[in-house]
């Protein structure tokens, strides 16, 4: 009630005004907030109102664009149904950015849509677009499908049916709120906030056939329209999707992260050899960790860019090779193993460390020779 009264006061009582022009669903109107526009008495800002006649349950999306730094609000009499401003939209720009808002009519009636300037010194032209929101039909989503819907509460859930295994991208896009996604089902539990760009959310993970639940919500408690899309990305034949897969030196393994951002392999070495490991990632920062007989080594950015690389002298035995991603990011990667030869002089050490030790030993020998007394 306090919020509604404050909103009505801010709009100078226009919620009940009969002089506002009519606006139909699907219309696009242009206007301008000037010093002669209706005054909001409490802060000196200006506004323009439009009347919309809607049926019970009808959903409408509004988009305010143009040079005006403005706000949108929808009133049912003295009650404010929804509002959005340039500072709270997904664009995040408080100067001349677009403002999006979606709402659903709770009953048959006439509603007021108010375009309000952001402050007493905010003026400029604007364009207001309206469109009908087609409600989600309730059917499960699948590969290469999408749903256009509106968020009206804290969280909404959607069923996802996966018919064939693969790398799935699930994206929640909205310019009305800061999107948050959560995916659960079949031992999968992963969530995301801003990986979709700007304030959109995206989950990219490998899914086995089965049924899953997608949770769509807002970080900043705003409501409005959004698009939820599911895309299946083709993956290479032979993609490794299970932990414990055996590695063969010289044969690259293509794989992808699990929901925790991790994948492990097993390497059996039958004779001493020096091996180079490279974790070449697609869109994330890879980390390598190798453990085994006398070895406990880890690297983050030793390869090209943010790719991980380790060069190790290995004795015969069984090694665990783990590839992880910083921030538990999802994605495909390639794990390369290169045989650098069997002439191993310093078992169980990193080649860089061995080279450093050899250099230090050579320096010490040279220093000792320089300090030795000269006998005439």
């Amino acid at each position: 009630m306090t919020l509604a009264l404050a909103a009505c006061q801010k709009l100078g009582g226009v919620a009940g005004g009969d002089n506002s022009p009519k606006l139909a669903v699907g219309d696009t109107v242009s206007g301008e907030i000037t010093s002669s526009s209706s005054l909001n008495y409490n802060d000196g800002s200006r506004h323009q109102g439009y009347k919309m006649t809607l049926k019970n349950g009808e959903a409408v999306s509004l988009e305010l664009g143009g040079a005006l730094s403005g706000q949108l609000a929808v009133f049912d009499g003295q009650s404010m149904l929804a509002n959005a401003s340039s500072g709270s939209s997904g664009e995040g720009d408080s100067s001349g950015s677009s403002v999006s808002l979606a709402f659903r009519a709770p009953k048959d009636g006439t509603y007021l849509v108010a375009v309000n300037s952001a402050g007493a010194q905010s003026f400029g032209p604007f364009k207001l677009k309206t469109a009908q929101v087609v409600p989600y039909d309730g059917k499960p989503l699948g590969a290469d499908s999408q749903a256009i819907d509106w968020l009206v509460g804290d969280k909404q859930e959607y069923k996802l049916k996966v018919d064939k295994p693969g790398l799935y991208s699930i994206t929640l896009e909205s310019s009305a709120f800061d999107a948050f996604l959560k995916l659960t089902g079949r031992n999968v539990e992963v969530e995301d906030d801003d990986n979709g760009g700007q304030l959109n959310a995206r989950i990219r993970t490998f899914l086995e056939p089965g049924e899953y639940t997608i949770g769509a919500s807002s970080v900043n408690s705003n409501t409005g329209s959004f698009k939820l899309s599911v895309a299946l990305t083709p993956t290479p034949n032979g993609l490794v999707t299970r932990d414990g897969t055996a590695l063969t030196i010289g044969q690259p393994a293509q794989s992808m992260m699990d929901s925790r951002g991790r994948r492990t392999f097993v390497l059996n070495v039958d004779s001493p050899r020096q091996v180079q490991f490279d974790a070449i990632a697609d869109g994330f920062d890879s980390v390598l960790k190798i453990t085994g007989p006398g070895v406990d080594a880890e690297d983050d950015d030793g390869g090209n860019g943010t790719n991980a690389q380790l060069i190790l002298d290995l004795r015969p035995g069984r090694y665990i090779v783990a590839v992880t991603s910083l921030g538990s990011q999802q994605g495909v990667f390639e794990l390369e193993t290169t045989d650098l030869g069997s002439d191993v002089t310093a078992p169980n050490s990193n080649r860089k460390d061995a080279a450093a030790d050899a250099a230090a030993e050579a320096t010490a020998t040279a220093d000792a020779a320089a300090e030795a007394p000269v006998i005439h």
Side-chain angles (χ1 to χ4, degrees), residues 7-21 32-50 68 112-123 126:
C8 291
Q9 181 187 18
K10 184 168 186 177
L11 290 172
V14 301
D18 292 330
N19 297 326
S20 300
E32 184 173 5
I33 297 296
T34 68
S35 58
S36 61
S37 299
S38 298
L39 177 67
N40 299 323
Y41 300 113
N42 70 326
D43 64 358
S45 62
R46 305 281 174 164
H47 65 261
Q48 172 64 57
Y50 297 91
L68 177 69
L112 182 87
V113 175
V115 176
N116 196 72
S117 64
Q121 301 303 317
S122 180
F123 305 100
F126 65 85

Side-chain angles (χ1 to χ4, degrees), residues 56-70:
N56 179 29
E58 190 173 1
V60 180
S61 66
L62 306 171
E63 182 177 349
L64 177 66
L68 177 69
S69 179

Side-chain angles (χ1 to χ4, degrees), residues 151 153-155 177-180 216-223:
L151 186 67
D154 294 335
K155 180 182 179 182
F177 58 86
D178 186 351
F180 186 82
S217 60
S218 168
V219 173
N220 54 10
S221 300
N222 285 1
T223 61

Side-chain angles (χ1 to χ4, degrees), residues 88-108:
S88 63
S89 70
E91 300 297 329
D93 183 0
S94 61
S95 176
S97 62
S98 64
V99 180
S100 296
L101 176 65
F103 72 100
R104 183 167 49 186
K107 60 183 180 181
D108 292 351

Side-chain angles (χ1 to χ4, degrees), residues 112-299:
L112 182 87
V113 175
V115 176
N116 196 72
S117 64
Q121 301 303 317
S122 180
F123 305 100
F126 65 85
K127 180 176 290 187
L128 178 62
K129 297 179 180 180
T130 70
Q132 185 173 20
V133 177
V134 179
Y136 171 57
D137 60 11
K139 296 179 180 179
L141 297 172
D144 303 317
S145 65
Q146 69 176 26
I148 298 175
D149 209 347
W150 63 93
L151 186 67
V152 295
D154 294 335
K155 180 182 179 182
Q156 291 170 201
E157 292 187 341
Y158 301 83
K159 294 298 182 183
L160 171 63
K161 184 179 181 182
V162 174
D163 294 324
K164 58 181 179 180
L167 181 61
Y168 285 80
S169 294
I170 304 169
T171 306
L172 179 61
E173 299 174 276
S174 175
S175 60
F177 58 86
D178 186 351
F180 186 82
L181 265 178
K182 186 172 183 179
L183 177 68
T184 56
R186 291 187 58 85
N187 298 320
V188 171
E189 184 172 348
V190 60
E191 57 189 32
D192 179 72
D193 181 5
D194 293 332
N195 277 326
Q198 296 185 7
L199 297 180
N200 299 318
R202 175 175 295 141
I203 291 174
R204 191 165 182 254
T205 188
F206 187 88
L207 297 178
E208 298 282 358
E211 294 186 352
Y212 300 82
T213 300
I214 300 173
S217 60
S218 168
V219 173
N220 54 10
S221 300
N222 285 1
T223 61
S225 62
F226 65 85
K227 181 173 71 174
L228 178 63
S229 57
V230 180
L232 173 60
T233 303
T235 54
N237 292 330
L239 186 73
V240 175
T241 60
R242 289 180 172 82
D243 290 332
T245 300
L247 291 174
T248 299
I249 296 177
Q251 295 183 7
Q254 291 182 314
S255 184
M256 69 167 299
M257 296 300 178
D258 62 14
S259 59
R260 302 168 299 166
R262 177 182 174 87
R263 184 65 64 198
T264 60
F265 302 82
V266 174
L267 175 64
N268 291 303
V269 178
D270 56 5
S271 61
R273 62 187 60 249
Q274 193 172 69
V275 180
Q276 175 176 315
F277 299 85
D278 289 277
I280 304 171
D282 174 20
F284 61 87
D285 190 348
S286 64
V287 179
L288 260 174
K289 183 175 177 61
I290 301 175
T291 57
V295 170
D296 188 357
E298 184 172 350
D299 178 75

